[in-house]
């Protein structure tokens, strides 16, 4: 039976959600197309992890080696190349994460495989792969039909599939040997860097007033701050605001910032790129203010105001000042 | 330190109303403004800073039509020294691997210690070209770089991971890095600044000169058979508040009171 190979992603001893999301996608596709699902676990002293994968796939392939203790592109490329050549899966899934973004393009180039990155949905019809992506910051959907191939490499967007994969399977755990480390390019993992100490914990706030690039300039931030003060909210932001150092990095919401779940999240001038959505879409109530009616943020917001935030904010603040 | 930076011109879409062409394969670009890809702006800035600290030369490369010379001029005005444009002809409908082929042929003869690209394009968001290039060149690389320290024949970088964490890795030079936003504060380029570099000659090349055949690039070389664009379904979507500004704010205030427990 043909196979879908899923690269299990883990960091500091924990499997990451994307692993189960990929298994969910693989099992769904596998069921429809009679394909088995194999999880590939690369690491060192990973015995605690394979048990968690067994129930969600048909086979767990474990490659253990001290060289694989931490993610490193050099070793991962060789290890994955070995597994792909050995198993010849129809499809290999990698997360579109800091690991997968670092690995998939070079792997595709090395093995001359067709690669589609950042996919949100997959389909297979008569061996032809169809892929859904989002482009232009989530404003356009692109449905791609791939040319026929014996093998595809896919990186899946985080959060696109359910992490609550069914645990009904009982995958065999099989050990596969690590390759001789011959084709390394000298990249070394030196260590993790902890985030700097933060002033406030935005994840603990009940209400967040969150500003994006639409705030325009730092001189406009007091407008948002006054509003936040009036309703007892904490100020947070999207990435460009932190990149510009208008607010500290600890205030950034999203995949590379923080995940928040406040009672109310008020997004001001934030377009709603998926990296941002991933950090706030589970807020109880989302209110978005954006002058672009087609901004992707409106697809996940509960309430929307299509207007210039500089017009809206003073009036809104006034409603709380006067009561 | 000689540095090559790949830069791309992209349409500005955040505030724009996008439309799709009749064939459904492309967005209409006539009414859009174009600029340097956000990530590439940070990459050029980083290259110029490294050059200022360690001497050497910065060469910027783009693959695009004649108008794309604008992004090269922007990069030159920021402090790059030389510019190469690969003409787009033949590369239409290339996938990321095809674009990388074009760039690879153009940069492999330029002596460099460091190759920088953006982490991703804001258009197609492949996040693929930089590391494809690294692999074609057979050099070590790191993606999503938010900090750089140059050593003796080596480079140490901070890579961004999820949840506000980073990792530190090092590798020998020459190496390729894909640059993440926030690594620096790109300098502002004035029209005057661009005027000043208008005499710098942009080296032009094309697929033929680079020895690429039709089968390797464009739609023939692409692994994608077809692409169908659509506007995302609105789904449930937000309840858009209407009325006068005051009425809208009144309603919003009520929602905040109800849902947030604000007095
Ligand atoms: C690996 C990686 C990790 C990332 N991690 C994160 C992350 O953790 N968090 C994050 O936020 N992003 C992250 N990003 C960046 C993300 O892709 C987007 O670029 C970013 O979220 C865009 O921020 P924005 O919405 O503020 O800006 P834009 O996308 O530029 O949107 C600005 C919005 O403001 C609106 N606007 C403009 N002026 C006004 C006005 N006067 N009134 C009202 N509305 C106005 C515009 O219509 C537009 O919708 C990451 C990207 C990558 C590649
Ligand atoms: N046509 C191009 N010309 C020059 N550089 C490009 C081009 N396309 C992509 N790149 C580079 O590759 C990076 C990643 O782009 P992508 O893989 O398309 O998301 C960009 O930030 C650029 O640095």
């Amino acid at each position: 039976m043909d196979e879908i190979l899923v690269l299990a992603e883990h960091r500091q001893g924990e499997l990451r959600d994307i692993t189960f999301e990929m298994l969910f996608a693989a099992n769904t596709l596998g069921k429809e197309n009679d394909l088995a699902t194999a999880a590939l676990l690369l690491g060192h002293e990973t015995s605690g992890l394979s048990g968690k994968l067994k129930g969600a796939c048909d086979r767990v392939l474990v490659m253990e080696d001290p060289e694989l203790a931490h993610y490193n592109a050099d070793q991962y490329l060789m290890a994955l190349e070995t597994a792909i050549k050995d198993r010849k899966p129809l499809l290999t899934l990698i997360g579109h994460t800091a690991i997968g973004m670092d690995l998939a393009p070079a792997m595709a180039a090395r093995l001359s495989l067709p690669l589609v990155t950042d996919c949100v949905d997959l389909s297979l019809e008569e061996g032809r792969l169809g892929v859904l992506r989002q482009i232009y910051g989530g404003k356009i959907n692109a449905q791609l039909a791939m040319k026929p191939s014996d093998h595809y490499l896919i990186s899946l967007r985080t959060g696109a599939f359910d992490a609550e994969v069914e645990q009904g399977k009982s995958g065999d755990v099989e050990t596969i040997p690590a390759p001789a480390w011959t084709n390394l390019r000298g990249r070394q993992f030196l260590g993790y860097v902890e985030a700097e100490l933060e002033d406030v914990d935005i994840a603990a706030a009940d209400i967040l007033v969150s500003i994006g690039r639409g705030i325009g300039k730092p001189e406009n931030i007091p407008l948002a701050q006054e509003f936040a003060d009036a309703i007892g909210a904490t100020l947070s932001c999207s990435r460009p605001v932190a990149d510009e150092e208008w607010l500290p990095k600890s205030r950034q919401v999203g995949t590379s910032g923080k995940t928040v779940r406040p009672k109310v999240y008020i997004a001001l001038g934030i377009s709603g790129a998926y990296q941002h959505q991933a950090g706030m879409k589970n807020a109880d109530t989302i209110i978005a203010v954006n002058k672009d009616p087609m901004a992707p943020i409106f697809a996940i917001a509960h309430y929307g105001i299509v207007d210039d935030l500089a017009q809206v904010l003073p009036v809104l603040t006034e409603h709380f000042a006067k009561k | 330190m000689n540095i090559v930076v790949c830069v791309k011109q992209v349409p500005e879409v955040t505030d724009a109303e996008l439309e799709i062409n009749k064939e459904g394969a492309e967005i209409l670009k006539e009414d859009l403004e174009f600029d340097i890809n956000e990530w590439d702006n940070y990459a050029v800035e980083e290259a110029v800073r490294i050059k200022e600290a360690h001497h050497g030369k910065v060469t910027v490369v783009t693959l695009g039509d004649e108008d794309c010379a604008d992004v090269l001029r922007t990069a030159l005005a920021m402090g790059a020294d030389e510019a190469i444009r690969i003409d787009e002809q033949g590369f239409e409908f290339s996938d990321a691997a095809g674009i990388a082929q074009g760039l690879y042929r153009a940069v492999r003869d330029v002596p460099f210690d460091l190759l920088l690209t953006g982490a991703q394009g804001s258009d197609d968001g492949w996040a693929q070209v930089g590391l494809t290039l690294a692999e074609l060149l057979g050099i070590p690389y790191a993606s999503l770089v938010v900090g750089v320290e140059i050593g003796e024949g080596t480079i140490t970088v901070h890579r961004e991971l999820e949840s506000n964490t980073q990792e530190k890795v090092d590798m020998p030079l020459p190496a390729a890095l894909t640059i993440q936003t926030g690594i620096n504060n790109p300098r502002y380029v004035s029209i005057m600044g661009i005027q000043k570099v208008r005499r710098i000659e942009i080296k032009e090349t094309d697929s033929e000169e680079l020895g690429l055949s039709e089968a390797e690039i464009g739609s023939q070389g692409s692994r994608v058979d077809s692409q169908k664009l659509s506007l995302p379904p609105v789904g449930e979507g937000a309840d858009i508040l209407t009325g006068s500004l005051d009425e809208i704010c009144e309603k919003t205030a009520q929602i905040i009171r109800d849902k947030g427990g604000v007095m």
Side-chain angles (χ1 to χ4, degrees):
Chain A
M1 200 187 331
D2 246 343
E3 208 169 52
I4 303 178
L5 188 66
V6 171
L7 179 68
E9 182 167 328
H10 56 97
R11 184 175 300 139
Q12 291 170 292
E14 301 270 355
L15 285 165
R16 301 184 63 83
D17 283 353
I18 182 67
T19 304
F20 297 102
E21 294 165 17
M22 289 191 285
L23 289 171
F24 187 101
N27 289 342
T28 311
L29 209 59
K31 210 173 186 174
E32 292 161 4
N33 294 278
D34 212 15
L35 298 164
T37 304
L40 174 65
L41 184 61
L42 308 175
H44 181 52
E45 293 168 355
T46 58
S47 53
L49 302 183
S50 48
K52 299 199 174 95
L53 295 168
K54 266 172 32 179
C57 58
D58 302 304
R59 184 170 286 112
V60 186
L61 305 167
V62 183
M63 188 190 288
E64 291 259 356
D65 194 284
E67 291 280 327
L68 295 169
H70 299 279
Y71 168 77
N72 187 340
D74 277 9
Q75 283 84 351
Y76 259 60
L77 281 169
M78 286 202 66
L80 184 59
E81 175 179 355
T82 307
I84 290 176
K85 284 186 169 158
D86 185 37
R87 312 285 314 178
K88 302 187 180 60
L90 173 64
L91 209 65
T92 297
L93 300 185
I94 301 181
H96 193 67
T97 58
I99 286 181
M101 289 173 85
D102 197 66
L103 181 67
M107 189 77 275
R110 188 170 290 187
L111 296 180
S112 196
L113 298 175
L115 165 66
V116 193
T117 58
D118 195 17
C119 301
V120 297
D121 206 1
L122 301 172
S123 64
L124 258 177
E125 261 166 56
E126 288 158 26
R128 294 276 302 256
L129 183 69
V131 177
L132 182 66
R133 303 182 75 241
Q134 291 191 327
I135 58 177
Y136 294 110
K139 290 183 90 169
I140 298 282
N141 279 356
Q143 178 67 43
L144 310 189
M146 301 301 293
K147 289 180 184 167
S149 171
D150 296 336
H151 185 70
Y152 300 97
L153 197 57
I154 294 293
S155 76
L156 270 202
R157 174 177 289 189
T158 53
F161 289 88
D162 202 338
E164 304 298 322
V165 52
E166 234 180 286
Q167 289 283 347
K169 303 201 178 216
S170 52
D172 300 328
V173 180
E174 197 179 307
T175 308
I176 55 174
W181 305 109
T182 50
N183 191 12
L184 304 180
R185 306 234 166 99
R187 171 165 153 180
Q188 306 283 343
F189 170 83
L190 302 177
Y192 294 104
V193 185
E194 296 301 323
E196 278 164 40
L197 230 59
E198 47 198 65
D199 55 341
V200 261
D201 182 10
I202 55 169
D206 273 343
I207 308 182
L208 286 172
V209 169
S210 206
I211 55 174
R213 187 159 18 217
I215 195 78
K217 49 184 183 210
E219 291 75 18
N220 287 340
I221 292 179
L223 274 182
Q225 184 69 61
E226 278 157 32
F227 171 52
D229 290 345
I231 62 171
T234 302
L235 212 54
S236 60
C237 64
S238 68
R239 181 171 186 126
V241 173
D243 283 346
E244 295 274 1
E245 296 176 344
W246 294 348
L247 286 180
K249 189 79 177 169
S250 57
R251 304 279 184 134
Q252 182 187 314
V253 173
T255 49
S256 56
K258 283 203 160 175
T259 301
V260 297
R261 217 191 148 158
K263 286 187 192 153
V264 183
Y265 187 87
I266 305 167
L268 305 168
I270 295 176
S271 63
Y274 91 92
Q275 291 99 342
H276 189 80
Q277 290 193 10
M280 46 64 76
K281 65 176 179 221
N282 290 324
D284 295 342
T285 299
I286 299 168
I287 304 171
V289 183
N290 197 304
K291 62 180 187 187
D292 174 11
M294 301 302 280
I297 192 80
F298 288 126
I300 59 153
H302 302 96
Y303 302 96
I305 301 175
V306 180
D307 204 344
D308 180 350
L309 63 89
Q311 302 292 320
V312 176
L313 275 178
V315 183
L316 203 48
T317 309
E318 191 62 17
H319 272 276
F320 288 91
K322 68 169 186 253
K323 276 208 198 138
Chain B
M1 286 290 289
N2 291 324
I3 308 173
V4 171
V5 191
C6 297
V7 295
K8 179 178 195 185
Q9 191 175 63
V10 292
E12 292 273 0
V13 300
T14 37
D15 308 26
E17 192 180 326
L18 298 184
E19 287 178 67
I20 295 163
N21 73 1
K22 274 208 308 290
E23 298 75 35
E26 278 279 359
I27 59 165
L28 296 178
K29 296 189 177 153
E30 287 78 25
D31 297 332
L32 298 176
E33 308 239 345
F34 287 81
D35 204 350
I36 184 168
N37 178 37
E38 184 180 359
W39 282 266
D40 303 353
N41 198 32
Y42 286 92
V44 173
E45 177 64 33
E46 198 60 26
V48 172
R49 286 186 189 197
I50 295 171
K51 177 188 85 166
E52 285 166 353
H54 300 270
H55 308 292
K57 204 167 71 182
V58 174
T59 306
V60 286
V61 189
T62 196
L63 190 160
D65 64 15
E66 267 170 31
D67 293 339
C68 295
D70 287 355
V71 293
L72 296 177
R73 297 256 176 244
T74 305
L76 290 168
M78 287 172 79
D81 304 279
E82 291 180 9
I84 304 171
R85 184 178 71 86
I86 306 163
D87 195 69
E88 186 182 42
Q89 214 189 352
F91 288 97
E92 298 92 348
F93 300 106
S94 288
D95 55 9
I99 299 294
Q101 265 301 335
L103 293 167
Y104 164 62
R105 301 286 174 115
V107 305
R108 66 178 173 186
D109 299 326
V110 181
F112 67 84
D113 305 287
L114 209 51
L115 172 78
L116 304 186
T117 70
Q120 66 173 36
S122 63
D123 48 2
D124 285 329
W126 293 115
Q128 193 178 336
V129 167
L131 303 190
T132 307
L133 270 174
E135 184 59 31
L136 292 172
L137 290 157
I139 57 177
Y141 68 78
S143 64
L144 295 169
V145 170
V146 289
V148 170
E149 271 167 65
I150 309 284
E152 285 292 323
T154 65
I155 187 164
T156 306
V157 305
H158 283 208
R159 288 192 66 229
E160 178 180 286
L161 309 175
E162 286 77 14
S163 310
N164 206 2
T165 49
Q166 298 175 0
E167 66 175 7
K168 211 168 153 175
V169 304
D170 72 2
M171 67 202 85
L173 295 172
L177 308 178
T178 82
I179 301 296
Q180 173 64 307
T181 60
I183 185 174
N184 53 41
N185 264 309
R187 66 197 71 191
Y188 173 75
V189 176
S190 66
I191 301 202
M192 276 278 286
I194 292 180
Q195 277 291 325
K196 277 199 194 136
V197 297
R198 73 176 186 281
R199 276 183 220 286
I200 299 182
E201 192 203 342
I202 293 174
K203 201 177 142 215
E204 309 260 345
T205 183
D206 58 26
S207 59
E208 203 181 289
E209 198 176 35
L210 296 172
L212 284 163
S213 72
E214 254 175 52
E216 290 168 285
I217 55 172
S219 53
Q220 256 198 63
S222 173
R223 310 312 253 290
V224 180
D225 196 26
S226 67
Q227 160 162 304
K228 187 100 191 122
L229 304 188
S230 60
L231 296 173
V234 185
E236 294 285 296
D239 178 0
I240 301 291
L241 305 176
T242 52
S244 69
L245 180 58
D246 203 55
E247 286 162 1
I248 287 174
C249 290
E250 173 81 51
K251 288 181 200 167
T252 310
Q254 198 53 48
I255 295 163
I256 294 172
R257 290 201 169 94
D258 292 348
K259 307 287 185 182
V262 180
M263 288 299 129

